[in-house]
Amino acid sequence: MENLFQPLALNSSITLKNRILMAPLTRCMADDELVPTQAMADYYARRAEIGLIISEATIIRPDGQGYPNTPGLYTPAQIAGWRNVTDKVHDNGGKIFAQLWHTGRVAHPHFFGGDFVLAPSALGVEGTVPRMRELTYLEPKPASKEEIEELIADYAQAAINALEAGFDGVEIHGANGYLIDQFLHYSSNVREDEFGGNPENMARFPLAVVDAVVKAIGEDRTALRLSPGAYFNIDADARDREVFDYLLGELETRNLAFLHVGVFDDQMEFDYLGGTASEYMRSRYSKTLVGVGGFTPESGSQAIASGKFDLLAIGRPLIANPDYVAKVRAGEALTEYSDTMLAELV
Ligand code: FNR
Ligand code: 8K6
């Protein structure tokens, strides 16, 4: 497993001390102003041995919120709260990116007031907000061109705020059925304007967000997470493949810090992708790729050795083992994750 502990230069600005990333993990533990707390700073600082921490998904503006107490990055207090987190991570020798999030149609006005949520098209998700059964999801309002322009500007501003808060960069959350992903799938995007109807149009908003963030903070500090396989908050359509073929071709011409597979279990195969999400992304994208989803240190090391991806993100095992890196290095047994561990920040 030595390869997990080799450094990797993402670009001329950022070198990671090892190949392990902390996957973004929503914990719903920010305070009621969506400000990161001291307990969150301690939680992240305990994991600074990881090559790069990706923060839990962090909303770029109020109407991006779909779950209770998810942190934000748009008020001075939130920026200051994150500054405390990033300082502690840096003091312990770590690096941390902010994951920038807007949930689109998975948002709920319960959290931010008003009476609508924005998405590409008036196609809602079934069901209710997790753990809040009284909150049924709404049929979203299709975003107007002006609203799309505002969203792009707000992603860029959140990236600027992230650097002000001391983050080393940002990962744009383009995965898991949230706003950006909603533009990329036919089951959630039936627009007939320049943001829908064919791969180039469906990729227009995601690429505009990427380009605006790159313009704001530079390509070395910008990463993107994508879910080419629909599996969460979204239904699959075989035509989605062409959208991701086009998008990945466009991303190949840019020099982002990395692309990150967005999946819970990378053994899962998607018919229309011809294999797993990471196999598909590797086949269309030759630059730095982060794999994730059900890996052990052994299987992750093997995947890196065989060129399936370049960096390994670890999610649930890092909730169970703050000292994951030390344990793996020492060959010690890992504590098994259980959902009951989500109740507190350890
Ligand atoms: C997640 N995941 C996730 N993904 C993301 O892009 N942003 C997020 O905020 C979250 N939040 C989140 C919370 C919890 C409790 C879980 C379990 C998962 C997905 C996560 O980043 C990762 O892809 C999966 O957990 C799969 O990796 P592991 O856990 O098998 O190593
Ligand atoms: C109230 C907490 C909300 C946290 C949101 C992030 C996701 C939580 C994890 C839920 C797991 C869903 C896994 C779906 C995988 C489907 C595979 C077929």
Side-chain angles (χ1 to χ4, degrees):
M1 287 183 287
E2 257 320 292
N3 62 353
L4 293 180
F5 301 105
Q6 285 162 5
L8 181 77
L10 293 178
N11 44 53
S12 58
S13 316
I14 304 174
T15 296
L16 306 184
K17 64 188 170 191
N18 60 55
R19 307 267 175 131
I20 307 174
L21 268 66
M22 178 171 175
L25 294 161
T26 290
R27 300 302 307 270
C28 300
M29 299 278 189
D31 76 13
D32 288 341
E33 306 306 317
L34 312 188
V35 173
T37 62
Q38 184 61 43
M40 286 167 64
D42 296 339
Y43 159 86
Y44 283 112
R46 275 194 284 278
R47 289 160 173 83
E49 279 304 306
I50 295 290
L52 178 64
I53 295 170
I54 313 288
S55 80
E56 63 204 277
T58 298
I59 57 174
I60 61 164
R61 59 187 224 177
D63 70 350
Q65 189 178 354
Y67 307 90
N69 299 95
T70 52
L73 201 38
Y74 54 85
T75 69
Q78 292 163 356
I79 294 169
W82 278 120
R83 170 56 83 171
N84 182 39
V85 174
T86 62
D87 280 349
K88 289 206 115 198
V89 168
H90 291 148
D91 287 348
N92 287 1
K95 285 194 163 57
I96 181 166
F97 273 32
Q99 194 188 45
L100 303 184
W101 197 26
H102 191 297
T103 62
R105 66 181 186 170
V106 191
H108 201 289
H110 166 79
F111 300 115
F112 49 85
D115 52 12
F116 65 88
V117 300
L118 290 176
S121 299
L123 297 165
V125 270
E126 294 285 315
T128 57
V129 174
R131 294 186 235 160
M132 302 183 83
R133 301 189 74 156
E134 69 287 5
L135 300 180
T136 306
Y137 288 118
L138 306 187
E139 180 182 297
K141 170 180 173 312
S144 66
K145 285 183 197 169
E146 293 70 32
E147 285 164 336
I148 287 177
E149 289 303 324
E150 285 166 15
L151 284 160
I152 294 166
D154 290 338
Y155 276 99
Q157 185 59 50
I160 291 168
N161 296 350
L163 291 207
E164 190 186 332
F167 283 103
D168 298 285
V170 305
E171 175 177 279
I172 300 164
H173 195 343
N176 296 351
Y178 298 115
L179 180 66
I180 289 175
D181 202 25
Q182 289 158 26
F183 276 85
L184 294 168
H185 294 266
Y186 282 90
S187 69
S188 46
N189 182 353
V190 293
R191 295 179 75 98
E192 291 176 353
D193 62 1
E194 69 264 39
F195 295 100
N198 61 54
E200 193 177 342
N201 285 353
M202 291 166 76
R204 193 176 308 282
F205 172 70
L207 286 170
V209 171
V210 167
D211 291 341
V213 169
V214 165
K215 190 161 173 230
I217 64 165
E219 60 191 3
D220 284 4
R221 302 196 180 277
T222 304
L224 174 65
R225 193 171 211 201
L226 292 173
S227 294
Y231 74 103
F232 187 51
N233 293 320
I234 219 147
D235 291 323
D237 183 311
R239 293 172 296 168
D240 295 348
R241 163 72 186 254
E242 292 158 28
V243 181
F244 283 90
D245 284 355
Y246 171 79
L247 175 62
L248 290 167
E250 280 294 312
L251 293 167
E252 181 79 22
T253 69
R254 291 158 172 82
N255 287 306
L256 299 185
F258 55 85
L259 283 192
H260 188 174
V261 181
V263 78
F264 274 71
D265 177 3
D266 198 39
Q267 305 240 16
M268 200 167 154
E269 304 214 344
F270 298 92
D271 283 355
Y272 61 94
L273 300 181
T276 65
S278 68
E279 284 166 356
Y280 166 70
M281 283 177 72
R282 175 84 300 168
S283 74
R284 312 293 305 191
Y285 187 76
S286 69
K287 298 179 178 175
T288 307
L289 184 67
V290 181
V292 74
F295 287 96
T296 62
E298 293 79 10
S299 65
S301 162
Q302 196 104 56
I304 290 176
S306 58
K308 293 188 168 173
F309 43 79
D310 308 290
L311 292 160
L312 171 67
I314 296 291
R316 288 161 288 191
L318 257 163
I319 292 177
N321 301 272
D323 50 352
Y324 183 90
V325 170
K327 279 184 174 166
V328 173
R329 265 190 206 276
E332 281 174 33
L334 293 167
T335 302
E336 197 168 337
Y337 167 83
S338 109
D339 286 338
T340 58
M341 294 174 181
L342 293 178
E344 65 176 324
L345 286 179
V346 175

